[in-house]
Structure formats: structure tokens, C-alpha cells
């Protein structure tokens, strides 16, 4: 994506997180920096069939 068209910005990051079922929180204060917190849901591993024992 082209950064000039929003491909790498915070709005795009938030949209990607939302598309994956997560959230993106941004905290910023002048002279204090910026903090990003990304959260994604864990998906359970698919159950596998037990191995057959001869």
C-alpha cells in the first residue's frame, strides 16, 4: 500500500485490527510520547483426531 493514501497509518492499523476482531488503543501526550496497545482474540486450536494405536 501507498503510505500517502493511508496504507501504513494509524487508521489503517486500527482497521486491520478491527477486521481481525481486535482493538487498537492509542495514548499520546505532548512531550510524553505515544503508546499503542493492540489486542487480538486468541482462537482455539482446531481439535485434531487422536492417533490410531495399532
Amino acid at each position: 500500500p501507498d503510505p500517502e493514501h493511508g496504507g501504513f497509518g494509524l487508521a489503517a492499523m486500527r482497521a486491520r485490527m478491527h477486521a481481525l476482531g481486535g482493538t487498537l488503543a492509542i495514548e499520546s501526550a505532548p512531550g510524553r510520547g505515544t503508546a499503542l496497545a493492540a489486542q487480538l482474540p486468541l482462537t482455539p486450536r482446531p481439535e485434531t483426531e487422536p492417533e490410531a494405536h495399532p
Side-chain angles (χ1 to χ4, degrees):
D2 182 359
E4 192 171 307
H5 293 97
F8 296 109
L10 294 174
M13 289 173 64
R14 183 174 278 135
R16 279 181 247 143
M17 293 296 292
H18 181 68
L20 294 170
T23 60
L24 178 68
I26 304 163
E27 293 183 25
S28 183
R32 302 284 309 211
T34 302
L36 301 176
Q39 291 184 302
L40 288 171
L42 293 177
T43 54
R45 296 175 103 178
E47 292 191 32
T48 58
E49 293 183 28
E51 292 182 24
H53 295 282

